[in-house]
Amino acid sequence: MKAIVQDRYGSPDTLSLRETAQPRPSSGEVLVRVRAAAVNAYDWHIMRGDPYVLRLAARSLRGPRFRIRGRDVAGVVDAVGDGVTGLSPGDEVYGDSGESDGAFAEYVCVPAERLAPKPAKLTFEQAAAVPLAGSTALVGLRDAGRLRAGQHVLVNGASGGVGTFAVQIAKALGATVTAVCSTRNVELVTSLGADHVVDYTREDFARGMNRYELVLDLVGNRSLADLRRVLTPEGTLLLSGGGVSRGGSVFGPMGLIIRGRLASRFTRQRIADFSGSSNRELLTSLTELIEAGRVEPVIDRDFPLEKTAEAIRYLETEHARAKVVITL
């Protein structure tokens, strides 16, 4: 089969399209014939091995442990391993292959608990855009953020992959949403339901008078003091390790997260960090929101498999908005 393979950490130039052996599903796994996959900031971090602490955590200093990139996937079940129930060959599914990656390929093996039936109203391309970004937004707002109807939430990085889902999910949960983005994305986040939009090229939300019960920071481009300044006295600040940077960092977004963990011990404000990883329960919740018309994935651009390096390079420039999708 054709797959995007990487042998060492580095730029998108380290990615190459190669012929590799087709995987076979182990017990509890499903072999999916990939129809579409999506690019995430996670893929960039693994590709670059950035921040460097990730290399230590993975116990792999020269290159990624798993050579085929990609997590988000939508496709058709080709075969199932022992012990898998509820899924059969021919079923249309979507999900997240997890830290073993492998989705930028014609076939990928995915743990069954990380897959769910594809929402009927979505194309494969749209479905592939949902799992990791949608799950991250849902976990952040519903679980880590404990967002309640009537609360005011600020989403910093509202036009990104996670941000576009966060705006919609926050509205579905009954919140009043303020979205922070650049000028060119104001119309987009407004169309997603944001009640207020702050164009950061013209206005600094940290210097405003508004206060929020929940601040969801998805880009890590502001100081901890700035983010806390716009919280209510007992509000919640959520820090995510997402986003891409110029690279070459030791801790990357983890630096802000570490400072947040330390500061949380000395304030009434709640400071927490979170990360997303899809599972069937989260995907089922997202499907319900999608089928109800409350959430719709937004795709910036799609690329064929052979241009995956170009797709990640596009994401790396930080000009991408919403989701970038790989089609097969």
Side-chain angles (χ1 to χ4, degrees):
M1 69 170 187
K2 293 181 174 64
I4 298 298
V5 180
Q6 179 183 18
D7 296 320
R8 58 184 175 83
Y9 296 121
S11 73
D13 293 333
T14 62
L15 305 177
S16 60
L17 181 68
R18 305 184 201 171
E19 286 288 341
T20 64
Q22 181 175 311
R24 295 181 180 180
S26 300
S27 177
E29 289 186 335
V30 175
L31 178 65
V32 178
R33 171 67 169 92
V34 181
R35 295 287 301 276
V39 179
N40 293 286
Y42 170 89
D43 302 306
W44 178 88
H45 285 289
I46 297 299
M47 178 192 74
R48 286 281 187 181
D50 186 286
Y52 294 143
V53 292
L54 286 180
R55 306 186 187 192
L56 295 176
R59 299 180 182 178
S60 182
L61 299 180
R62 296 181 180 276
R65 289 178 60 198
F66 301 100
R67 298 170 63 233
I68 300 176
R69 300 276 60 76
R71 284 183 62 161
D72 283 346
V73 61
V76 178
V77 173
D78 189 80
V80 298
D82 293 339
V84 173
T85 60
L87 293 174
S88 303
D91 290 348
E92 296 183 349
V93 294
Y94 77 134
D96 167 13
S97 64
E99 294 180 1
S100 59
D101 289 358
F104 297 160
E106 292 181 313
Y107 292 88
V108 61
C109 285
V110 182
E113 67 270 15
R114 289 182 173 272
L115 290 171
K118 181 180 75 67
K121 67 187 299 182
L122 297 187
T123 65
F124 285 107
E125 289 79 9
Q126 289 174 312
V130 175
L132 191 56
S135 294
T136 300
L138 183 60
V139 167
L141 294 168
R142 185 192 68 181
D143 303 334
R146 306 167 191 168
L147 184 63
R148 301 188 303 275
Q151 289 188 321
H152 290 71
V153 58
L154 180 139
V155 180
N156 186 30
S159 62
V162 177
T164 50
F165 283 103
V167 170
Q168 297 177 81
I169 291 171
K171 288 299 297 180
L173 294 174
T176 298
V177 179
T178 296
V180 181
C181 65
S182 64
T183 304
R184 76 184 187 107
N185 295 321
V186 168
E187 184 177 350
L188 169 64
V189 297
T190 300
S191 71
L192 297 177
D195 299 284
H196 312 284
V197 180
V198 176
D199 178 353
Y200 66 74
T201 68
R202 301 179 179 180
E203 180 183 355
D204 185 355
F205 71 83
R207 299 293 180 264
M209 299 299 294
N210 294 322
R211 298 294 178 265
Y212 306 90
E213 283 91 359
L214 177 64
V215 171
L216 180 64
D217 179 58
L218 299 171
V219 287
N221 64 350
R222 303 303 300 259
S223 69
L224 194 63
D226 283 346
L227 295 170
R228 289 182 57 197
R229 186 177 296 118
V230 297
L231 279 179
T232 59
E234 297 183 355
T236 296
L237 169 61
L238 289 180
L239 304 172
S240 169
V244 298
S245 64
R246 294 182 179 180
S249 61
V250 176
F251 293 104
M254 285 299 299
L256 181 62
I257 289 174
I258 292 170
R259 292 192 292 274
R261 290 176 180 177
L262 293 173
S264 66
R265 303 177 182 182
F266 306 101
T267 177
R268 286 187 300 160
Q269 293 172 327
R270 181 170 168 261
I271 305 175
D273 54 88
F274 71 102
S275 60
S277 182
S278 292
N279 57 47
R280 188 170 298 170
E281 183 274 324
L282 290 170
L283 292 169
T284 299
S285 295
L286 289 166
T287 295
E288 291 173 355
L289 290 169
I290 291 166
E291 297 292 6
R294 309 298 298 275
V295 169
E296 181 178 354
V298 180
I299 296 175
D300 178 345
R301 190 174 297 185
D302 61 79
F303 295 79
L305 180 66
E306 61 268 22
K307 293 188 176 181
T308 298
E310 183 179 332
I312 296 183
R313 186 175 288 110
Y314 177 65
L315 179 74
E316 192 174 27
T317 65
E318 300 186 57
H319 296 307
R321 56 180 179 176
K323 296 295 297 181
V324 175
V325 172
I326 306 298
T327 59
L328 286 85

